[in-house]
Structure formats: structure tokens, C-alpha cells
């Protein structure tokens, strides 16, 4: 059943059927219809020639016309006068080694006069003799007419066209056709088998590879098949395999990274909770210190979870923005208050310069998240002096936001990588920071959704400046 349904088998069968149909048509036209086709052709020739002869009767070119039509069209022409004497004959029977008896012409003449028709036109069985005297029967088309009036016949013209040569032609054709049929059928079987094999082979190969892909072997390479459609298919499948592999490794990265990042704060929460239970429960100061750690760690978990949600939205293509004009100067100033506690605790020096009354068209929540991420990074990575510079100002092109720090900066070769998800430069953070490697990935995607320019200028050992430019 599977074999019968296979492409290979079908292509093979169709090609063989196609060859058989062509052969059948050939047989029909060459053998079956040939006789009637030939007869029709001859019939037309006889009538045309007769017309030419009759119309040139009595003119100078009469005999030339007779010669011409007989030779051209393989006709025999007999002209008899009113006394039944043969006045002219060109007898093509000669060529066939046959003699037409004159008596039969006389018989047709009588038939014509009696029928009171001006012409007769028949397919007749003509009795002829070979030159050696053997009688034969020939299928012949006969056309006869007369010049003059029925009472005063000047001449009678009979035009014969033998339908005979066709017989031998058919024989030759038939014997040739037997051979052709045999050869074509054998060739059709072999060639179509080869063609169907050629067509189906790459598909079978691709199916095999696809099965391997299904079993999780993402390194499989789909090969082309030597023709466009299959090449295209394998290219598409290669692309799909690559994408699936990417998604797969992303999932693996995600689980590895997320479980690691989740475990750290959870361990801390558990450890501090135990400490409160066992040690600091009664000591109000230490207890609130420990509870503070638990709250911080819980915040970390919150940030982590919302970053992962953002990432999954970006990955699935369902991240969208709701841009609307709003005063970014006010929002940034408000945002900066969140760091008041940090400044109070000491160790950080914020230099903030915000140009007032700047309105941009953007998703305020998302842009706030971007600015927060960049400022947090500056805090996390700035140098020992704890300097962080935040600027917002108008430029020729629009509005520029900048955060600068005095940290180690980023090596030039790492700059393109920091925007990737889960990318973290392999140095331990200066401070206990929330680090998922998702921050800049979310920043990049949000800014790209807005169509804003962004980037980082960093000098190793001196610090980095992250920036974006909003259009107004
Ligand atoms: P993370 O959670 O690790 O901060 P990010 O996506 O925000 O993740 O940043 C990716 C990496 O880029 C960081 O691990 C860090 O190495 C580098 N990076 C980001 N901001 C700065 C900065 N201001 N100075 C130096 N390196 C930075």
C-alpha cells in the first residue's frame, strides 16, 4: 500500500501511462485513421484536378494541364470522344505495373449518360490486370464528366485516383510501429523509473533528516536535491532546524540562568529567616536588619521575575508599546528620588542635570524602566568614588538621556555582547547587585520598539556612558 502511494511509484506509473497514450494515438492515426484520411485527401485532389481540366478544355494549355495534374497528383486521365474512341490517356497504372481495361470506362460512360447527371463520382472496385496478365482488384476513386450537351457530347473526361499505394505504406508503417512501440515502451519504463527515482530520492533523504531532527538532533543538515523546489525546502528546513536549535538552547540557558538566579535570593531568604527564628528573634535591632535583607532579596526575586516576563514577551513578539506625549523631565526628576535613601547611606555621588519641560512621545512606563535599568547599572558598576552622572537635555536631533559612571568600563570586544540576553561580563560585581543579564536586553528591545537611537561610549579604566536619543 505504502509503495503504491509513494511518489516514486506514482511518477513512474504516470510517465508510463503518458508514453502509452502517445503510442496509442500514434497507432490510431498511423494505422486506423490513415486509410480514411488518405482517401479524403485523394478525393479532394481528384475533384480539384477535374475542375482544372474541365475549365482548360479547348484552350491551348489543355494538354499541359493534363500532364501537370497527372504527374503531380498521381492520377490517370482518359478522354474519349462521342464515338467512344480514346483520344487521350495518361495512365499512371503503368507505374504500378497494372493495366486498366478500357471496357470499364465505356461502362461508366453509359452509366453517366443514363443517369442524366453531368458528372459521376464514385469509389469503385476497379478490375485491373498486371502486365503479366494476372487480374487484380483495386480501390479507386473515379470522377467522370462530359463537355457539351447530353445530346451533343464532345468529349468525356475520366479521372482516376488509385487508393492502392496506401496498402503497402501501411504495411511498412506497421512494421516500423511495432519496433517503435517496443523501444518506446522499454525506454518509458526505464527512463521513467530513473526520473521518479531522481525526484523522490531527495525527498526521502529530507524525510530521514527530518526524522532525526524530530528526535532532537539539531545539527542535522538538510541537503538539496538538485532541483529548485527541494533546494528551497531543504533551505527552509535548515532555517527551521537552526531556529528550533536556538529556541532549545535558549530554553536551556533560561532554565540554567533563572534557576541559578532564583536560588541565590531564596537561599538568602531562607538563611535569614532561620536566623531570625533561632538567633535574632528577640533582638529588635538585628531582627529588623535581617528582615531588611529578606525584603531586599524578595525585591530581587520580583525584579528577576518581571525581567523574565519582559523577555518572554519580547521573544514571543508580543512586546508592544503605547506611546503618548509626556513630560520626561518631570518623570526623571521623580525617578531620581528613589535613590535618595542610597545617597543618604553615603558612598554615592549623584550629579543630576535635567533640562526642564521636555516632552517626548513614548511609552512612559517602558522608558522609565529603561532609565532605571541604565541608572542601576551605573550604580552597580561605577568606580570607588561612587560617582554617577545623569543627564537629560535637548539636542539638534531630539532629546538625549545619558548615565555615566567612573567604573572599569567595558572592553571594546564585549560592547556588542552586553545587549544580548543573559550576557554578563565575567567579573564579580563590585556590589551585591541584581544581575540577570537581562537588563540591557530589555533596554535594547524597548528602545528599538520606539525607534530610538541608543549606545554606549566606554573607556576601559575610566567608565562608561550609556545613552539614548528620543525623538520629540
Ligand atoms: P546585569 O544584570 O548583569 O547588569 P545587564 O544586561 O544590565 O545585566 O548588563 C549586561 C552586562 O553589561 C553586565 O553584566 C556588565 O558586565 C555590563 N555592563 C552593563 N552596564 C555597565 C556599566 N555601566 N559599566 C560596566 N559594565 C556594564
Amino acid at each position: 500500500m505504502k509503495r503504491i502511494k509513494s511518489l516514486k511509484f506514482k511518477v513512474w506509473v504516470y510517465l508510463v501511462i503518458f508514453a502509452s497514450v502517445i503510442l496509442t494515438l500514434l497507432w490510431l492515426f498511423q494505422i486506423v485513421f490513415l486509410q480514411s484520411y488518405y482517401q479524403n485527401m485523394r478525393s479532394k485532389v481528384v475533384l480539384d484536378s477535374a475542375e482544372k481540366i474541365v475549365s482548360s478544355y479547348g484552350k491551348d494549355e489543355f494538354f499541359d494541364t493534363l500532364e501537370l495534374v497527372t504527374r503531380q497528383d498521381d492520377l490517370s486521365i482518359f478522354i474519349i470522344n462521342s464515338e467512344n474512341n480514346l483520344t487521350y490517356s495518361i495512365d499512371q497504372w503503368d507505374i504500378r505495373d497494372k493495366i486498366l481495361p478500357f471496357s470499364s470506362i465505356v461502362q461508366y460512360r453509359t452509366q453517366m449518360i443514363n443517369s442524366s447527371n453531368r458528372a459521376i463520382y464514385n469509389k469503385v472496385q476497379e478490375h485491373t490486370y498486371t502486365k503479366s496478365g494476372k487480374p487484380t482488384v483495386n480501390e479507386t476513386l473515379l470522377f467522370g464528366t462530359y463537355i457539351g450537351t447530353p445530346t451533343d457530347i464532345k468529349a468525356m473526361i475520366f479521372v482516376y485516383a488509385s487508393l492502392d499505394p496506401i496498402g503497402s505504406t501501411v504495411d511498412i508503417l506497421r512494421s516500423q510501429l511495432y519496433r517503435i512501440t517496443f523501444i518506446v515502451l522499454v525506454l518509458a519504463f526505464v527512463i521513467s523509473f530513473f526520473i521518479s527515482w531522481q525526484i523522490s530520492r531527495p525527498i526521502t533523504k529530507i524525510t530521514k533528516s527530518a526524522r532525526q531532527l524530530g528526535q532532537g538532533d539539531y545539527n542535522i543538515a538538510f541537503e538539496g536535491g538538485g532541483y529548485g523546489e527541494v533546494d528551497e525546502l531543504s533551505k527552509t528546513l535548515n532555517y527551521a532546524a537552526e531556529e528550533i536549535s536556538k529556541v532549545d538552547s535558549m530554553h536551556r540557558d533560561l532554565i540554567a540562568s533563572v534557576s541559578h538566579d532564583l536560588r541565590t535570593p531564596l537561599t538568602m531568604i531562607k538563611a535569614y529567616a532561620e536566623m531570625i527564628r533561632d538567633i535574632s528573634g528577640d533582638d529588635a535591632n538585628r531582627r529588623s536588619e535581617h528582615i531588611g535583607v529578606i525584603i531586599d532579596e524578595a525585591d530581587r526575586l520580583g525584579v528577576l521575575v518581571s525581567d523574565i516576563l519582559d523577555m518572554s514577551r519580547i521573544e514571543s513578539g508580543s512586546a508592544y508599546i503605547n506611546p503618548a506625549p509626556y513630560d520626561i523631565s518631570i518623570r526623571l526628576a521623580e525617578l531620581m528620588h528613589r535613590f535618595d535613601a542610597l545617597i543618604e547611606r553615603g558612598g554615592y555621588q549623584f550629579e543630576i542635570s535635567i533640562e526642564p519641560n521636555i516632552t517626548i512621545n513614548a511609552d512612559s512606563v517602558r522608558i522609565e524602566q529603561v532609565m532605571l535599568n541604565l541608572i542601576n547599572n551605573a550604580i552597580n558598576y561605577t568606580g570607588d568614588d561612587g560617582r554617577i552622572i545623569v543627564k537629560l537635555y535637548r539636542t539638534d536631533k531630539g532629546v538625549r538621556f545619558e548615565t555615566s559612571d567612573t567604573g572599569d568600563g567595558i572592553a571594546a570586544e564585549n560592547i556588542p555582547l552586553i545587549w544580548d540576553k543573559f550576557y554578563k561580563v565575567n567579573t564579580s560585581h563590585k556590589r551585591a547587585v541584581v544581575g540577570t543579564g537581562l537588563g540591557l536586553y530589555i533596554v535594547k528591545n524597548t528602545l528599538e520598539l520606539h525607534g530610538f537611537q541608543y549606545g554606549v561610549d566606554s573607556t576601559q579604566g575610566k567608565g562608561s556612558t550609556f545613552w539614548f536619543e528620543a525623538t520629540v
Side-chain angles (χ1 to χ4, degrees), residues 395-416:
T395 64
D396 304 343
K397 289 178 224 149
V399 178
R400 189 173 168 104
F401 171 86
E402 274 178 21
T403 58
S404 309
D405 60 68
T406 57
D408 292 341
I410 305 159
E413 69 264 23
N414 288 334
I415 287 185

mmCIF file of all heavy atoms in Angstrom, residues 395-416:
data_model
loop_
_atom_site.group_PDB
_atom_site.id
_atom_site.type_symbol
_atom_site.label_atom_id
_atom_site.label_comp_id
_atom_site.label_asym_id
_atom_site.label_seq_id
_atom_site.Cartn_x
_atom_site.Cartn_y
_atom_site.Cartn_z
ATOM 1 N N THR A 395 18.905 68.139 22.118
ATOM 2 C CA THR A 395 19.980 68.221 21.116
ATOM 3 C C THR A 395 19.346 68.663 19.798
ATOM 4 O O THR A 395 18.128 68.876 19.748
ATOM 5 C CB THR A 395 20.643 66.851 20.888
ATOM 6 O OG1 THR A 395 19.655 65.978 20.342
ATOM 7 C CG2 THR A 395 21.172 66.249 22.175
ATOM 8 N N ASP A 396 20.172 68.733 18.752
ATOM 9 C CA ASP A 396 19.624 69.105 17.427
ATOM 10 C C ASP A 396 18.586 68.082 16.979
ATOM 11 O O ASP A 396 17.575 68.402 16.365
ATOM 12 C CB ASP A 396 20.742 69.116 16.372
ATOM 13 C CG ASP A 396 21.871 70.031 16.789
ATOM 14 O OD1 ASP A 396 21.609 70.865 17.688
ATOM 15 O OD2 ASP A 396 22.982 69.892 16.230
ATOM 16 N N LYS A 397 18.881 66.817 17.313
ATOM 17 C CA LYS A 397 18.035 65.735 16.790
ATOM 18 C C LYS A 397 16.817 65.465 17.650
ATOM 19 O O LYS A 397 15.829 64.921 17.179
ATOM 20 C CB LYS A 397 18.860 64.449 16.681
ATOM 21 C CG LYS A 397 19.886 64.505 15.558
ATOM 22 C CD LYS A 397 20.690 63.214 15.538
ATOM 23 C CE LYS A 397 22.176 63.507 15.358
ATOM 24 N NZ LYS A 397 23.037 62.549 15.997
ATOM 25 N N GLY A 398 16.923 65.778 18.952
ATOM 26 C CA GLY A 398 15.798 65.482 19.823
ATOM 27 C C GLY A 398 16.184 65.642 21.272
ATOM 28 O O GLY A 398 16.633 66.709 21.684
ATOM 29 N N VAL A 399 16.013 64.537 22.005
ATOM 30 C CA VAL A 399 16.290 64.569 23.447
ATOM 31 C C VAL A 399 17.286 63.461 23.765
ATOM 32 O O VAL A 399 17.135 62.339 23.295
ATOM 33 C CB VAL A 399 14.994 64.327 24.234
ATOM 34 C CG1 VAL A 399 15.273 64.297 25.713
ATOM 35 C CG2 VAL A 399 13.983 65.403 23.891
ATOM 36 N N ARG A 400 18.290 63.813 24.560
ATOM 37 C CA ARG A 400 19.292 62.809 24.876
ATOM 38 C C ARG A 400 19.294 62.531 26.369
ATOM 39 O O ARG A 400 19.292 63.452 27.186
ATOM 40 C CB ARG A 400 20.675 63.288 24.427
ATOM 41 C CG ARG A 400 21.743 62.207 24.513
ATOM 42 C CD ARG A 400 23.019 62.733 23.890
ATOM 43 N NE ARG A 400 24.159 61.894 24.173
ATOM 44 C CZ ARG A 400 24.720 61.058 23.301
ATOM 45 N NH1 ARG A 400 24.210 60.956 22.077
ATOM 46 N NH2 ARG A 400 25.772 60.350 23.639
ATOM 47 N N PHE A 401 19.298 61.250 26.713
ATOM 48 C CA PHE A 401 19.418 60.819 28.095
ATOM 49 C C PHE A 401 20.759 60.118 28.227
ATOM 50 O O PHE A 401 21.148 59.338 27.359
ATOM 51 C CB PHE A 401 18.272 59.858 28.445
ATOM 52 C CG PHE A 401 18.454 59.198 29.783
ATOM 53 C CD1 PHE A 401 18.023 59.798 30.948
ATOM 54 C CD2 PHE A 401 19.088 57.960 29.881
ATOM 55 C CE1 PHE A 401 18.214 59.186 32.183
ATOM 56 C CE2 PHE A 401 19.279 57.344 31.116
ATOM 57 C CZ PHE A 401 18.851 57.960 32.257
ATOM 58 N N GLU A 402 21.477 60.401 29.287
ATOM 59 C CA GLU A 402 22.798 59.810 29.489
ATOM 60 C C GLU A 402 22.984 59.412 30.936
ATOM 61 O O GLU A 402 22.585 60.140 31.835
ATOM 62 C CB GLU A 402 23.881 60.846 29.199
ATOM 63 C CG GLU A 402 24.302 60.968 27.769
ATOM 64 C CD GLU A 402 25.359 62.073 27.618
ATOM 65 O OE1 GLU A 402 26.022 62.429 28.625
ATOM 66 O OE2 GLU A 402 25.476 62.570 26.500
ATOM 67 N N THR A 403 23.606 58.266 31.163
ATOM 68 C CA THR A 403 24.104 57.977 32.512
ATOM 69 C C THR A 403 25.569 57.623 32.376
ATOM 70 O O THR A 403 25.926 56.807 31.527
ATOM 71 C CB THR A 403 23.420 56.762 33.180
ATOM 72 O OG1 THR A 403 23.610 55.636 32.355
ATOM 73 C CG2 THR A 403 21.964 56.997 33.424
ATOM 74 N N SER A 404 26.399 58.234 33.180
ATOM 75 C CA SER A 404 27.837 57.940 33.134
ATOM 76 C C SER A 404 28.286 57.450 34.493
ATOM 77 O O SER A 404 27.704 57.824 35.522
ATOM 78 C CB SER A 404 28.628 59.188 32.765
ATOM 79 O OG SER A 404 28.078 59.772 31.609
ATOM 80 N N ASP A 405 29.282 56.566 34.455
ATOM 81 C CA ASP A 405 29.872 56.143 35.725
ATOM 82 C C ASP A 405 31.387 56.201 35.585
ATOM 83 O O ASP A 405 31.907 56.476 34.495
ATOM 84 C CB ASP A 405 29.404 54.722 36.071
ATOM 85 C CG ASP A 405 29.798 53.740 35.017
ATOM 86 O OD1 ASP A 405 31.017 53.478 34.879
ATOM 87 O OD2 ASP A 405 28.909 53.236 34.288
ATOM 88 N N THR A 406 32.071 55.937 36.682
ATOM 89 C CA THR A 406 33.536 56.015 36.651
ATOM 90 C C THR A 406 34.155 54.643 36.883
ATOM 91 O O THR A 406 35.242 54.518 37.400
ATOM 92 C CB THR A 406 34.034 56.979 37.746
ATOM 93 O OG1 THR A 406 33.536 56.494 39.000
ATOM 94 C CG2 THR A 406 33.539 58.386 37.511
ATOM 95 N N GLY A 407 33.399 53.609 36.470
ATOM 96 C CA GLY A 407 33.839 52.233 36.706
ATOM 97 C C GLY A 407 34.936 51.769 35.767
ATOM 98 O O GLY A 407 35.615 52.574 35.128
ATOM 99 N N ASP A 408 35.030 50.431 35.667
ATOM 100 C CA ASP A 408 36.089 49.839 34.850
ATOM 101 C C ASP A 408 35.848 49.985 33.352
ATOM 102 O O ASP A 408 36.729 49.722 32.547
ATOM 103 C CB ASP A 408 36.214 48.347 35.176
ATOM 104 C CG ASP A 408 36.744 48.145 36.601
ATOM 105 O OD1 ASP A 408 37.335 49.111 37.132
ATOM 106 O OD2 ASP A 408 36.535 47.056 37.151
ATOM 107 N N GLY A 409 34.649 50.344 33.010
ATOM 108 C CA GLY A 409 34.331 50.417 31.595
ATOM 109 C C GLY A 409 34.142 49.021 31.017
ATOM 110 O O GLY A 409 34.196 48.017 31.729
ATOM 111 N N ILE A 410 33.949 48.966 29.727
ATOM 112 C CA ILE A 410 33.675 47.678 29.075
ATOM 113 C C ILE A 410 34.674 47.502 27.947
ATOM 114 O O ILE A 410 34.907 48.431 27.164
ATOM 115 C CB ILE A 410 32.239 47.658 28.506
ATOM 116 C CG1 ILE A 410 31.223 47.992 29.614
ATOM 117 C CG2 ILE A 410 31.905 46.320 27.889
ATOM 118 C CD1 ILE A 410 29.900 48.476 29.098
ATOM 119 N N ALA A 411 35.281 46.331 27.867
ATOM 120 C CA ALA A 411 36.245 46.067 26.786
ATOM 121 C C ALA A 411 35.534 46.172 25.445
ATOM 122 O O ALA A 411 34.386 45.738 25.307
ATOM 123 C CB ALA A 411 36.831 44.673 26.965
ATOM 124 N N ALA A 412 36.229 46.771 24.479
ATOM 125 C CA ALA A 412 35.602 47.031 23.176
ATOM 126 C C ALA A 412 34.974 45.771 22.585
ATOM 127 O O ALA A 412 33.876 45.820 22.000
ATOM 128 C CB ALA A 412 36.633 47.607 22.214
ATOM 129 N N GLU A 413 35.661 44.623 22.757
ATOM 130 C CA GLU A 413 35.125 43.398 22.128
ATOM 131 C C GLU A 413 33.846 42.915 22.826
ATOM 132 O O GLU A 413 33.083 42.145 22.272
ATOM 133 C CB GLU A 413 36.186 42.290 22.091
ATOM 134 C CG GLU A 413 36.551 41.699 23.444
ATOM 135 C CD GLU A 413 37.797 42.355 24.053
ATOM 136 O OE1 GLU A 413 38.102 43.512 23.679
ATOM 137 O OE2 GLU A 413 38.449 41.718 24.908
ATOM 138 N N ASN A 414 33.630 43.394 24.065
ATOM 139 C CA ASN A 414 32.421 42.948 24.773
ATOM 140 C C ASN A 414 31.219 43.843 24.521
ATOM 141 O O ASN A 414 30.089 43.459 24.799
ATOM 142 C CB ASN A 414 32.691 42.900 26.276
ATOM 143 C CG ASN A 414 33.596 41.740 26.640
ATOM 144 O OD1 ASN A 414 33.633 40.744 25.925
ATOM 145 N ND2 ASN A 414 34.350 41.888 27.714
ATOM 146 N N ILE A 415 31.522 45.054 23.996
ATOM 147 C CA ILE A 415 30.417 46.017 23.845
ATOM 148 C C ILE A 415 29.252 45.458 23.025
ATOM 149 O O ILE A 415 28.096 45.579 23.430
ATOM 150 C CB ILE A 415 30.941 47.364 23.300
ATOM 151 C CG1 ILE A 415 31.709 48.039 24.439
ATOM 152 C CG2 ILE A 415 29.800 48.249 22.808
ATOM 153 C CD1 ILE A 415 32.198 49.432 24.155
ATOM 154 N N PRO A 416 29.515 44.796 21.885
ATOM 155 C CA PRO A 416 28.350 44.281 21.142
ATOM 156 C C PRO A 416 27.601 43.189 21.904
ATOM 157 O O PRO A 416 26.447 42.922 21.624
ATOM 158 C CB PRO A 416 28.971 43.689 19.866
ATOM 159 C CG PRO A 416 30.369 44.181 19.820
ATOM 160 C CD PRO A 416 30.782 44.489 21.212
#
